[in-house]
Amino acid sequence: MTTQSNPMVETPVNTMLLRMAAPISLGMLSTFLFQIVDSYFVGMLGSNELAALAFSSSAFFLFASLFMGFSVGVSAVIAKAVGAHEREKAATLTMVSLALVALVSISLSFAGRQFIDPTFSALGATVEVLPLLDAYMGTLYLGLPLLMLGIVGSGAARAIGITKQTEVIFAIAGLINLVFDYLLIFGIGPFPELGLAGAAWATGLSFAFIFLGMMVILIRHGLIGTNKLNGALAGLAEIMKFSVSTIFMQLLVPTTGMFTTFLLAGYGSEAVAAFGIVGRIESLALIGIFAVSMAVTPFIAQNFGAEEHERIDQAIIFAGKAAFYLGILLFGTLALLGPTIATIFSDDPAVIEFVGIYFKIVAASYSFQGLVAVTVAIFNGLQMPRVALKIMLVRTFALVFPLLFIGSTLGLWWILAGLAAGNILAAIYAAHLMRQSERTWNRPTANAKPWLEMRQDLRKLLAFAKG
């Protein structure tokens, strides 16, 4: 077996993680921007249309998170195989993954279309909003299998270190969505005026482009082919053993959003619409943190396969500090600019007030939310998905849900306080498990003092500012 050069186990740790995270950030930026664009254009149609978009977002992210969780599992096992110089095994794992995704996503899309009304009625959608949801989700479900294949395909590509090409695909898809949103929602030129359904068709076209682009990338890099199915059953067993935990873990993220939407529905459609706007702004704002967590899983998995434990230690420290500092920066920015940003999407005073207060309360916990995200990503890279799932289960059901419910009995703003407190307590719990794991592995990071390191970083920053 010939040993090929592998930048993930050879390039300096911080450099490699930044090199991976930067294109991921750009790709995610374009992806989340088209959600912002959707909100902007749909907001021109009315509050009911905006509320329909907010309801659909919860269901869409629940559906997408199933396959994002699968993608995380696929990425981790493929990256470990590449780190151990088993490239043919990586190709087999990719082919098996895509075949399974095609089967499951088509089945779920068909089922989703049949149960649009009962699903969203259960979430609190009113009779005025349900017809709009039929028009939007009935169309969107047709394109979801293409996006799911693209998501899992991008996870396989990132596992072997391909980030720039995948994120360019997502960036172009965002532009496609923007252009066709304008053309199809309002009926510009020869295009029909489809209203909210036009936004769904625009999004579906972008999904088709993502699918085609990812398949081309995987074919070019030898991860797709009819000769890549040797050991398919063994590969499927390995993927499922890892992915079951990551799937459940990812499903917990939109579950929190859906539960919050359900509680906010009791305070009127304006609160739901505002929360939908907040979700899009928040997704855009947290891109840097998400990108670090997405980069760290395949990085650690490859180095775990190559038994480069010191590089793993460096990655853990880098990811934790990066997430925490980005969270502080976001809080300062959004707490000041939240109401101004809200006016881009709505001129309703109630919506603007909600967005402003949300970012003054919840954004204070972004640093802690970031620590949870990177800790979960680290455990996935270390081939410990059950520990990652444990963190998310405790965060969701033992911390966030009870605090949200208690907050809902006290008032609207207490719901937001419960969400922030849940993020902070979850980070403390995740840090405890991380330190416990490092002690088990007898790693020096078990005795690290992050607060002292952060104080030193602050002193360096102040010294640099003074010149």
Side-chain angles (χ1 to χ4, degrees):
M1 182 188 303
T2 59
T3 302
Q4 299 178 348
S5 174
N6 189 345
M8 264 204 228
V9 297
E10 297 170 1
T11 304
V13 174
N14 292 8
T15 301
M16 190 65 213
L17 285 172
L18 286 172
R19 190 181 295 174
M20 293 174 68
I24 291 174
S25 296
L26 293 175
M28 292 178 70
L29 176 63
S30 64
T31 302
F32 288 127
L33 271 177
F34 77 66
Q35 297 174 32
I36 299 291
V37 169
D38 281 352
S39 295
Y40 175 75
F41 286 134
V42 171
M44 296 180 183
L45 300 176
S47 294
N48 282 334
E49 284 82 358
L50 201 56
L53 195 64
F55 276 112
S56 66
S57 294
S58 297
F60 166 72
F61 283 119
L62 180 64
F63 190 101
S65 292
L66 169 65
F67 294 94
M68 289 176 68
F70 188 70
S71 178
V72 170
V74 168
S75 180
V77 295
I78 291 176
K80 183 185 176 185
V82 173
H85 307 293
E86 298 175 328
R87 186 66 178 235
E88 285 300 313
K89 179 181 179 181
T92 298
L93 293 170
T94 302
M95 286 292 294
V96 170
S97 301
L98 294 175
L100 183 60
V101 168
L103 176 63
V104 175
S105 63
I106 291 172
S107 301
L108 289 178
S109 291
F110 176 79
R113 292 192 83 222
Q114 308 309 307
F115 296 99
I116 291 175
D117 282 1
T119 298
F120 290 103
S121 293
L123 290 174
T126 63
V127 292
E128 294 84 9
V129 173
L130 281 175
L132 298 170
L133 284 164
D134 280 327
Y136 185 79
M137 289 304 296
T139 301
L140 195 66
Y141 273 126
L142 297 174
L144 283 177
L146 299 175
L147 177 64
M148 301 311 119
L149 286 164
I151 287 174
V152 174
S154 68
R158 290 188 189 112
I160 61 173
I162 302 167
T163 54
K164 291 181 181 178
Q165 296 174 46
T166 60
E167 306 318 322
V168 166
I169 295 297
F170 279 99
I172 295 174
L175 292 175
I176 290 172
N177 182 78
L178 186 153
V179 171
F180 282 96
D181 255 351
Y182 179 64
L183 296 176
L184 294 174
I185 290 175
F186 304 110
I188 305 301
F191 295 92
E193 182 178 348
L194 300 177
L196 187 60
W201 279 108
T203 302
L205 289 171
S206 71
F207 291 170
F209 181 82
I210 289 170
F211 166 72
L212 292 173
M214 291 304 162
M215 295 307 104
V216 169
I217 288 173
L218 294 179
I219 290 170
R220 285 182 176 175
H221 290 273
L223 290 178
I224 291 182
T226 56
N227 62 332
K228 307 297 184 183
L229 291 173
N230 293 328
L233 290 178
L236 178 61
E238 183 174 354
I239 288 170
M240 294 309 300
K241 180 180 178 181
F242 196 100
S243 295
V244 168
S245 294
T246 57
I247 287 170
F248 277 111
M249 179 182 63
Q250 287 293 325
L251 287 173
L252 294 175
V253 177
T255 300
T256 301
M258 293 176 75
F259 185 61
T260 306
T261 300
F262 174 76
L263 294 176
L264 291 174
Y267 291 89
S269 60
E270 290 84 1
V272 174
F275 186 62
I277 290 173
V278 161
R280 283 164 168 73
I281 298 172
E282 194 171 62
S283 296
L284 185 64
L286 293 172
I287 279 175
I289 293 173
F290 291 155
V292 171
S293 65
M294 289 177 70
V296 82
T297 294
F299 178 89
I300 287 182
Q302 277 214 29
N303 282 277
F304 185 77
E307 299 184 358
E308 294 284 349
H309 299 294
E310 290 186 8
R311 289 174 62 81
I312 293 174
D313 292 342
Q314 295 174 45
I316 290 172
I317 294 171
F318 174 85
K321 290 168 69 173
F324 195 83
Y325 294 151
L326 285 170
I328 292 174
L329 179 62
L330 289 175
F331 171 56
T333 303
L334 293 175
L336 290 174
L337 302 179
T340 302
I341 297 172
T343 60
I344 298 174
F345 306 100
S346 175
D347 56 5
D348 187 327
V351 170
I352 294 171
E353 180 189 19
F354 181 98
V355 174
I357 294 177
Y358 181 96
F359 287 127
K360 285 183 173 65
I361 298 174
V362 179
S365 68
Y366 281 170
S367 289
F368 300 93
Q369 185 176 346
L371 288 176
V372 172
V374 297
T375 303
V376 166
I378 289 165
F379 277 121
N380 283 328
L382 291 171
Q383 313 296 296
M384 300 170 68
R386 291 184 179 179
V387 179
L389 176 60
K390 182 180 179 181
I391 292 172
M392 294 301 296
L393 286 171
V394 169
R395 175 194 179 273
T396 303
F397 296 111
L399 299 173
V400 174
F401 272 28
L403 289 170
L404 284 172
F405 180 76
I406 292 170
S408 71
T409 65
L410 300 174
L412 177 61
W413 309 125
W414 285 100
I415 296 176
L416 306 186
L419 182 57
N423 287 335
I424 294 169
L425 293 174
I428 294 171
Y429 178 69
H432 167 71
L433 290 186
M434 187 78 256
R435 193 176 291 273
Q436 198 175 58
S437 173
E438 292 298 276
R439 286 190 181 125
T440 301
W441 290 84
N442 197 29
R443 300 306 305 165
T445 46
N447 300 314
K449 296 180 173 58
W451 299 113
L452 292 179
E453 292 189 20
M454 290 177 183
R455 188 168 67 180
Q456 292 176 357
D457 291 341
L458 179 59
R459 288 176 177 171
K460 291 177 183 177
L461 180 62
L462 293 174
F464 177 79
K466 292 178 180 179

